[in-house]
């Protein structure tokens, strides 16, 4: 069993390059890997393709603005549970309520200052770490069955996380395919069953599956099995 996870990944989106540079520099000083985008439309596309553990968004940007971009993130598959920090110079309660309703969790008020941002990072550390662990992949080989309608595949996991699994079989199903998985976490134990969706393919015989609507009891079993391995690996 081996783990090769990168540091916490953060995206900063602000149409002011100097603000982006300052926030990224402070985040990197804490050990995070931070990248920035000054075009919110470009950021929206990037967020559809890549996973981030936290996103810093400016409230006022050319469309999509911070609130609309938050809605898009929350509706996405890749970053729906990502920690979202809104950067703003406003304290209008109506606007802040709209941002909370869209899915913002934390506000960073301008002017951005090092000590202020470091305090915010300490506050957000718990949620960011939970998000990182949810997507931390543990390389582990387990037997798995995948069903989609009348189609049934047998395979082996290449890595597991609390959010999904990478599977090798004799062929891969197309991205977007909804499936039911039966996963043998340990030999001789009851199979863990869950609905899932194919979110990516790797070559002709590997596919990444994301769990959907994992039942509470099954989620607890998965956490009890994986968390000790994740903590050991990280």
């Amino acid at each position: 069993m081996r783990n090769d996870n990168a540091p916490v990944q953060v995206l900063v989106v602000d149409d002011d390059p100097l603000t982006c540079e300052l926030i990224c520099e402070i985040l990197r000083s804490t050990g995070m890997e931070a990248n920035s985008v000054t075009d919110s439309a470009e950021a929206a596309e990037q967020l559809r393709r890549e996973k981030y553990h936290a996103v810093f968004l400016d409230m006022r940007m050319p469309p999509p603005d911070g609130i609309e971009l938050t809605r898009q993130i929350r509706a996405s598959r890749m970053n729906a549970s990502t920690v979202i920090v809104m950067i703003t110079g406003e304290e209008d309660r109506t606007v802040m309520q709209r941002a909370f309703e869209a899915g913002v969790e934390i506000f960073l008020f301008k002017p951005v200052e090092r000590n202020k941002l470091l305090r915010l990072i300490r506050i957000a550390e718990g949620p960011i770490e939970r998000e990182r662990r949810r997507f931390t992949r543990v390389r582990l080989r387990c037997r798995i069955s995948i069903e989609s309608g009348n189609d049934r595949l047998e395979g082996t996991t290449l890595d597991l996380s609390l959010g999904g699994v990478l599977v090798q079989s004799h062929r891969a199903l197309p991205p977007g395919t909804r499936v039911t998985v039966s996963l043998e976490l340990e030999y001789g134990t009851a199979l863990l069953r869950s609905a899932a969706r194919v979110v990516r393919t790797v070559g002709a015989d590997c596919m990444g599956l994301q769990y959907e609507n994992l039942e509470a009891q099954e989620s607890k079993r998965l956490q009890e099995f994986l968390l000790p391995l994740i903590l050991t690996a990280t």
Side-chain angles (χ1 to χ4, degrees):
M1 184 270 295
R2 186 164 66 88
N3 180 283
D4 58 353
N5 295 284
V8 169
Q9 302 289 321
V10 183
L11 182 66
V12 180
V13 187
D14 195 309
D15 55 356
D16 178 7
L18 292 178
T19 299
C20 283
E21 184 179 343
L22 173 61
I23 294 175
C24 284
E25 187 273 323
I26 296 170
L27 292 173
R28 289 170 188 146
S29 74
T30 69
M32 298 183 183
E33 188 167 308
N35 296 292
S36 65
V37 178
T38 55
D39 183 302
S40 59
E42 180 184 338
E45 181 60 32
Q46 199 160 313
L47 285 158
R48 282 191 285 270
R49 297 193 314 265
E50 299 180 34
K51 171 64 190 172
Y52 293 94
H53 304 112
V55 181
F56 285 68
L57 303 175
D58 187 26
M59 173 82 81
R60 299 294 184 188
M61 294 185 289
D65 66 8
I67 291 178
E68 176 55 31
L69 196 49
T70 297
R71 292 193 185 102
Q72 293 182 23
I73 294 170
R74 290 296 180 231
S76 72
R77 296 178 193 166
M78 187 75 72
N79 290 291
S81 56
T82 291
V83 176
I84 298 179
V85 179
M86 185 68 79
I87 309 164
T88 181
E90 303 178 29
E91 295 191 35
D92 184 317
R93 291 185 179 276
T94 302
V95 175
M96 291 177 67
Q97 183 62 35
R98 286 176 53 222
F100 276 127
E101 290 172 354
V104 171
E105 293 157 293
I106 302 170
F107 282 87
L108 173 62
F109 292 99
K110 296 180 179 180
V112 177
E113 299 169 351
R114 177 177 293 272
N115 288 340
K116 185 191 299 183
L117 180 50
L118 289 173
R119 285 197 300 271
L120 182 146
I121 291 169
R122 286 195 291 272
I123 292 169
E125 188 175 20
I128 291 173
E129 180 61 17
R130 284 194 296 273
E131 182 68 2
R132 187 180 72 85
R133 285 181 181 172
R134 198 167 80 85
F135 283 86
T136 293
R137 296 172 297 169
V138 176
R139 292 194 180 184
L140 200 63
R141 300 186 74 84
C142 300
R143 293 173 55 192
I144 188 169
S145 297
I146 303 164
E147 298 178 37
S148 177
N150 295 324
D151 209 354
R152 181 183 175 92
L153 302 178
E154 299 293 334
T156 305
T157 66
L158 299 179
D159 63 49
L160 286 80
S161 75
L162 296 173
V165 58
L166 181 63
V167 178
Q168 183 172 42
S169 186
H170 66 277
R171 61 185 171 89
L173 298 172
T177 304
R178 281 192 163 87
V179 300
T180 299
V181 299
S182 300
L183 175 62
E184 185 180 63
L185 294 175
E186 295 180 283
Y187 180 76
T189 61
L191 299 178
L192 183 147
R193 291 180 60 83
S194 174
R197 181 193 295 266
V198 180
V199 292
R200 64 188 175 103
T201 57
V202 183
D205 62 350
C206 294
M207 53 189 157
L209 306 178
Q210 182 175 303
Y211 305 127
E212 293 189 335
N213 303 317
L214 188 62
E215 293 184 1
Q217 187 60 36
E218 297 291 62
S219 178
K220 181 181 178 183
R221 284 184 60 205
L222 186 62
Q223 290 184 50
E224 289 175 347
F225 175 74
L226 271 185
L227 279 178
L229 302 178
I230 291 171
L231 293 171
T232 299
T234 57

